[in-house]
């Protein structure tokens, strides 16, 4: 209910912005874009540290994005996203768990030369903090998590179909990651001592890993439709996959959003 | 151009969505009796922390119980086999259960079941205490005073979810008493951090009381380096007058951690029965494809001299055990022994 109110408020705000944009219609090149989107997250995870079973995760998804184009066409991107919902398994209704996911992404992408004037190609780096938390509802005495501070190689392609329509594709893979996982037995004194100290929790007892011990990929495909000079809508599909020795997760995310250029 | 773009996007979606669950995260476990047995046995084989300390041969246990399970084994039969298998560990941190039902089997629970029969808290409250009150709904944290004596009374039925943060308020009243009885009978354990906080109200010195090793890998010898645990005062004005701790066969885990620390200080005396002897910590809840859950010990605690509490328990300074008929007649012999002890040793009346 609370989420629905937030979405409604957001859409109302965007509608007002649209009207405002139609009235003023300033003529200038927009360099920054702020976007807000909501959608659905569907995926699976298997974490043998937590359970031998595969869980299906379903839940809502919210994301706030910011993109700024620099003087040389290079991009700075930031994204904050949250998803929460339930993990289920067909083996028992009693095994239901809550999940929370959060992502913070900060990217700098250099514009590359491409022959096609309607197409922009970028390559750069990204810091990506990925938080995954799953807690067994029945007793809360079972949980698992994966916190990954990922330093990623990212590429993005934008293609302007016409004045109002465009699409983009991007992919990112971490080359080095600081990964924090529960201890082998799931629980220890450090976790107990730091359970209320969230910043310490996401950086305690982790280790640096590269491709052989932690692999992840995030793929994004999106389509934008420009309603006015400033206001646009978008639909995005994300595919996320990550795995390490005990943990595998795959997710499909679809989200609809509104963008505001300024 | 437009068609190729649409095709590209469609292909992207198709590839991702068609990537099935099994390809991405692996095959699902099979729900049959044999696989459920194997999963439980293997999980303990890889994670259980007390095989060496307690001298258990888990492979021999497999050889004994595995032939009792086949594809036609019923749920009831499997329950029986798994219960009997984990009973060999004699460890009340090891259990199997079915969520949202009463069905649970706890290994090594005989002393607990007996202790529950010979302790009736209401008998103690009605016949030996005054000004008694439960500090929260769990009834796991209660205070009072021994009738007509200058002896405070604290009941701790567990170190879990009760309002143990109220200990500071409790101590304001308790500190004027000539002695305190801390009743840990039927204490089901809980979080060690709560234990540390409460025992810290009664000690004035940091002392090494145990070393702990965690299981860190599947191999039988894959343990962390031992970490020394120290008792620490949690107040500047600890209670250092005589304290009697009452125990029984159901005083377990965090209650035994409490005693580990308390018994390093001379003003503590343990009266009652030998404690349960299960000090290690329980694993996270584990899951089986048939909808059952289980848990087990994951750590090895050793005293500074290298000895164990697991499987042994804390032996009291003064041994006394209630009889069922006495309890039925309103007599708590353990409580009476504690009151008499405080009079005999310290002249407290």
């Amino acid at each position: 209910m609370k989420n629905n109110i937030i979405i409604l408020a957001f859409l109302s705000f965007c509608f007002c912005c649209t009207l405002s944009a139609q009235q003023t219609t300033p003529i200038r090149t927009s360099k920054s874009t702020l976007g807000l989107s909501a959608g659905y997250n569907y995926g699976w995870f298997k974490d043998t540290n937590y359970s031998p079973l595969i869980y299906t995760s379903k839940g809502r998804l919210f994301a706030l994005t910011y993109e700024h184009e620099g003087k040389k066409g290079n991009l700075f991107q930031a994204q904050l996203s949250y998803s929460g919902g339930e993990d289920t398994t067909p083996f028992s209704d009693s095994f239901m768990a809550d999940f929370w996911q959060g992502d913070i992404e900060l990217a700098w992408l250099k514009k590359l030369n491409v022959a096609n004037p309607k197409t922009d190609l970028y390559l750069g780096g990204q810091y990506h903090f990925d938080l995954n938390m799953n807690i067994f509802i029945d007793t809360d005495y079972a949980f698992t998590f994966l916190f990954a501070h990922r330093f990623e190689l990212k590429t993005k392609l934008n293609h302007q179909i016409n004045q109002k329509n465009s699409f983009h594709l991007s992919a990112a893979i971490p080359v080095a990651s600081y990964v924090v996982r529960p201890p082998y037995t799931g629980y220890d004194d450090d976790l107990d001592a730091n359970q209320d100290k969230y910043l310490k929790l996401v950086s305690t007892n982790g280790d640096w890993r590269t491709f052989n011990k932690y692999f992840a990929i995030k793929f994004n495909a999106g389509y934008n439709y420009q309603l006015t000079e400033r206001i646009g809508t978008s639909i995005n599909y994300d595919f996320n996959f990550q795995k390490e020795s005990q943990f595998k997760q795959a997710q499909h995310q679809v989200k609809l959003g509104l963008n505001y250029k300024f | 151009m437009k068609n190729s773009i649409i095709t590209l996007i469609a292909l992207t979606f198709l590839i991702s969505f068609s990537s099935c669950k099994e390809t991405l995260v692996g095959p699902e476990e099979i729900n049959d009796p044999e696989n459920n047995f194997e999963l439980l046995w293997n999980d303990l084989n890889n994670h259980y922390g007390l095989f060496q300390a307690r001298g258990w041969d888990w492979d021999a246990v497999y050889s004994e119980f595995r032939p009792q399970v086949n594809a036609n084994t019923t749920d009831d039969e499997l329950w029986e086999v798994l219960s009997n298998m984990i009973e060999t560990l004699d460890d009340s941190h090891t259990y199997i259960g079915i969520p949202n039902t009463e069905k649970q089997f706890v290994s090594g629970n005989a002393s607990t079941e007996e202790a529950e029969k010979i302790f009736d808290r209401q008998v103690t409250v009605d016949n030996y205490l005054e000004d008694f009150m439960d500090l929260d709904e769990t009834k796991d944290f209660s205070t009072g005073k021994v009738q007509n004596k200058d002896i405070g009374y604290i009941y701790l039925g567990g170190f879990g979810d009760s309002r143990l943060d109220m200990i500071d308020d409790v101590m304001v009243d308790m500190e004027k008493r000539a002695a305190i009885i801390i009743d840990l009978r039927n204490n089901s354990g809980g979080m060690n951090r709560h234990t540390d906080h409460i025992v810290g109200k009664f000690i004035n010195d940091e002392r090494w009381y145990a070393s702990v090793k965690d299981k860190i890998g599947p191999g039988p010898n894959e343990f962390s380096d031992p970490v020394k645990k120290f008792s620490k005062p949690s107040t500047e004005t600890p209670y250092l007058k005589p304290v009697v701790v009452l125990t029984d066969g159901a005083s377990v885990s965090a209650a035994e951690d409490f005693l580990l620390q308390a018994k390093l200080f001379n003003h503590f005396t343990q009266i009652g029965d030998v404690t349960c002897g299960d000090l290690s910590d329980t694993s996270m809840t584990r899951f089986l494809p048939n909808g059952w859950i289980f848990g087990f010990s994951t750590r090895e605690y050793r005293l500074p001299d290298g000895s164990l509490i697991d499987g042994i328990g804390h032996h009291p300074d003064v041994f006394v055990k209630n009889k069922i008929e006495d309890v039925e007649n309103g007599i708590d012999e353990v409580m009476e022994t504690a009151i008499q002890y405080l009079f005999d040793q310290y002249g407290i009346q």
Side-chain angles (χ1 to χ4, degrees), chain B residues 179-324:
Chain B
I180 296 175
I181 294 173
I182 298 177
D183 197 342
L184 298 182
R185 288 178 292 175
N186 280 216
N187 184 303
S188 56
M191 306 302 289
N192 288 345
R193 65 173 182 276
H194 296 322
T195 314
D196 296 346
H197 183 64
I198 291 182
V199 80
K201 302 294 176 192
F202 299 89
I203 60 175
N204 61 347
D205 192 14
E206 268 194 36
R207 293 185 190 173
W208 173 29
Y209 68 91
S211 295
V212 183
K213 291 194 296 183
D214 282 301
K215 199 79 167 55
I216 56 170
N221 299 315
E222 287 191 72
F223 281 92
S224 65
D225 292 331
V227 175
K228 287 183 177 180
K229 308 265 285 182
F230 291 88
S231 59
K232 292 175 185 168
S234 56
T235 175
E236 290 180 359
T237 55
Y239 186 92
L240 300 174
K241 289 180 272 188
V243 179
V244 168
V245 183
L246 306 185
T247 60
D248 60 17
S251 307
V252 66
S253 196
E256 297 180 297
D257 189 69
F258 183 99
L259 280 160
L260 265 186
Q261 301 185 54
K263 291 181 83 170
L264 294 174
F265 297 84
N266 291 332
H267 60 296
F268 280 91
T269 305
Q270 181 192 352
I271 292 177
D273 196 0
V274 181
T275 60
C276 188
D278 291 323
L279 180 63
S280 181
D281 294 324
T282 312
S283 66
M284 298 279 99
T285 303
R286 312 293 291 173
F287 306 89
L288 290 173
N290 62 359
W292 298 356
I293 56 174
F294 63 102
F296 46 80
S297 293
T298 57
R299 319 181 90 180
E300 184 185 300
Y301 277 78
R302 285 194 184 269
L303 275 56
D305 65 2
S307 62
L308 288 168
I309 289 295
D310 282 287
I312 296 168
H314 286 282
H315 286 253
D317 302 302
V318 179
F319 179 85
V320 57
K321 199 169 169 180
N322 283 342
K323 299 179 189 70
I324 291 178

Side-chain angles (χ1 to χ4, degrees), chain B residues 29-234:
Chain B
E29 289 293 341
I30 299 163
N31 180 19
D32 68 23
E34 291 176 301
N35 194 42
N36 282 303
F37 179 97
E38 293 286 344
L39 283 169
L40 187 142
W41 185 89
N42 273 303
D43 209 30
L44 268 80
N45 189 49
N46 294 335
H47 293 91
Y48 189 70
L50 293 170
F51 287 134
Q52 285 186 329
R54 299 289 305 274
W56 305 135
D57 184 346
W58 195 233
D59 288 325
V61 170
Y62 183 91
S63 300
E64 181 184 350
F65 289 95
R66 180 64 182 87
Q68 298 177 30
V69 178
N70 58 49
N72 298 318
T73 302
T74 65
D75 278 353
D76 287 344
E77 289 166 345
L78 183 64
W79 181 269
E80 190 71 17
V81 172
L82 296 183
S83 298
N84 291 337
M85 185 168 78
I86 64 172
E87 178 62 11
T88 64
L89 298 173
D90 180 28
D91 174 1
S92 66
H93 284 117
T94 302
Y95 67 92
I96 57 172
I98 303 178
N100 301 321
T101 72
E102 296 289 314
K103 197 157 185 179
Q104 186 180 50
F105 178 82
V106 180
S107 168
N109 211 30
S111 68
T112 302
E113 288 170 2
E114 185 202 19
E116 285 170 355
K117 290 175 186 163
I118 56 173
F119 174 60
D120 184 340
R121 202 175 71 132
Q122 205 55 46
V123 166
T124 313
V125 172
D126 291 345
N127 300 335
Y128 299 90
L129 300 175
E130 58 193 25
D131 302 332
F132 182 83
M133 64 176 170
D134 291 314
L135 296 175
D136 63 19
E137 291 175 354
T138 67
K139 296 188 175 180
D140 275 349
F141 190 20
S142 316
T143 65
K145 175 183 169 299
V146 176
Q147 290 174 1
N148 307 315
K149 309 276 184 194
D150 191 15
I151 302 171
Y153 176 86
I154 299 173
Y155 179 73
L156 288 163
F159 293 97
D161 299 326
S162 52
R163 291 293 313 278
L164 298 172
D165 55 320
M166 292 172 71
I167 186 68
D168 292 310
D169 297 332
V170 169
M171 292 310 294
V172 170
D173 182 55
M174 288 290 161
E175 65 186 12
K176 61 191 176 202
R177 302 289 167 211
I180 296 175
I181 294 173
I182 298 177
D183 197 342
L184 298 182
R185 288 178 292 175
N186 280 216
N187 184 303
S188 56
M191 306 302 289
N192 288 345
R193 65 173 182 276
H194 296 322
T195 314
D196 296 346
H197 183 64
I198 291 182
V199 80
K201 302 294 176 192
F202 299 89
I203 60 175
N204 61 347
D205 192 14
E206 268 194 36
R207 293 185 190 173
W208 173 29
Y209 68 91
S211 295
V212 183
K213 291 194 296 183
D214 282 301
K215 199 79 167 55
I216 56 170
N221 299 315
E222 287 191 72
F223 281 92
S224 65
D225 292 331
V227 175
K228 287 183 177 180
K229 308 265 285 182
F230 291 88
S231 59
K232 292 175 185 168
S234 56

Side-chain angles (χ1 to χ4, degrees), chain A residues 100-112:
Chain A
W100 295 273
Q101 287 174 228
D103 290 84
I104 301 170
E105 296 169 56
L106 300 169
W108 185 87
L109 303 174
K110 182 172 174 56
K111 187 175 182 181
L112 305 177

Side-chain angles (χ1 to χ4, degrees), chain A residues 44-46 48-56 89-95 116 119 136 138-143 159 161-162 167 169 183-189 192-193 195 219 221-223 236-237 239 241 246 248-252 254, chain B residues 1-2 5 8-9 12-13 16-31 39 43 46-47 95 99-100 191-193 212 214-219 227 229 281-293 298-299 301:
Chain A
W44 311 280
F45 86 94
K46 182 174 184 176
T48 54
N49 189 290
Y50 174 72
S51 168
L53 310 178
I54 294 172
Y55 290 80
T56 299
T89 165
F91 294 114
S92 173
D93 292 340
S94 301
F95 287 178
N116 188 339
T119 301
F136 178 41
D138 190 50
T139 64
D140 78 13
Y141 201 58
F143 60 82
H159 182 77
I161 301 166
N162 55 39
F167 77 89
L169 300 170
Y184 181 71
T185 54
Y187 192 71
D188 66 10
D189 289 340
D192 188 30
Q195 60 180 302
F219 172 78
Y223 167 78
N236 275 272
Y237 164 74
F239 172 71
F241 178 77
Q246 297 174 306
K248 282 184 184 173
Q249 182 189 54
Q251 291 183 323
H252 303 287
V254 177
Chain B
M1 179 63 186
K2 201 169 182 178
I5 291 164
L8 183 66
I9 293 173
T12 304
F13 273 78
S16 294
F17 275 114
S18 65
S19 300
C20 71
K21 179 168 77 170
E22 189 166 326
T23 308
L24 292 166
V25 293
E28 186 59 275
E29 289 293 341
I30 299 163
N31 180 19
L39 283 169
D43 209 30
N46 294 335
H47 293 91
Y95 67 92
N100 301 321
M191 306 302 289
N192 288 345
R193 65 173 182 276
V212 183
D214 282 301
K215 199 79 167 55
I216 56 170
V227 175
K229 308 265 285 182
D281 294 324
T282 312
S283 66
M284 298 279 99
T285 303
R286 312 293 291 173
F287 306 89
L288 290 173
N290 62 359
W292 298 356
I293 56 174
T298 57
R299 319 181 90 180
Y301 277 78

